[in-house]
Amino acid sequence: MTISMDDRRRGFESKWVFDAELRFQVEARRNRALGEWAAAKKGLTGAAAEDLIAQVIAADFEEAGDEDVFRKLRSELEPSVSDAVIREKMRECLNAALDQVSKDSR
């Protein structure tokens, strides 16, 4: 049995769509966790915390990559929270989100 080029193309397109959706889910979970962390750092609760979480999530749509989220967090947090701490938290939240999504997809 041979696979036609159209079948291969459809397969690659399906894989790309699946990977893009997975990436979106992971980044959305990461951004929510980062927003929750930032809100806790600022001592926010309730509607104020939810508003900050929504702002962090929305920041990710400004440009490709993670720098837009980093800038949002940097602008919200006290100067005593270093850039290195923010970036490490971004890595931690990304890894946790990857674990959660992989467990959910099993």
Side-chain angles (χ1 to χ4, degrees):
M1 179 172 158
T2 60
I3 298 175
S4 73
M5 290 304 288
D6 285 340
D7 290 338
R8 286 181 55 116
R9 181 184 49 81
R10 281 191 291 274
F12 283 122
E13 287 172 355
S14 294
K15 171 103 172 78
W16 186 88
V17 168
F18 176 80
D19 289 348
E21 184 170 323
L22 197 61
R23 210 171 21 257
F24 178 80
Q25 290 175 7
V26 167
E27 289 176 359
R29 286 184 190 217
R30 180 208 57 188
N31 294 339
R32 171 162 281 286
L34 287 168
E36 291 169 352
W37 171 74
K41 283 287 218 187
K42 292 180 72 161
L44 301 176
T45 59
E50 287 301 318
D51 185 49
L52 179 58
I53 292 166
Q55 290 176 31
V56 171
I57 291 168
D60 197 24
F61 296 105
E62 291 175 10
E63 64 186 44
D66 297 330
E67 287 304 304
D68 44 3
V69 174
F70 172 79
R71 282 193 304 273
K72 177 61 180 169
L73 293 169
R74 175 73 282 156
S75 73
E76 292 291 338
L77 296 170
E78 296 290 325
S80 62
V81 179
S82 71
D83 291 357
V85 168
I86 295 171
R87 290 193 188 280
E88 179 59 29
K89 192 62 172 179
M90 290 176 74
R91 276 189 294 279
E92 287 174 17
C93 290
L94 179 64
N95 289 334
L98 281 166
D99 289 344
Q100 289 172 352
V101 169
S102 69
K103 285 178 186 172
D104 290 350
S105 65
R106 289 182 194 165

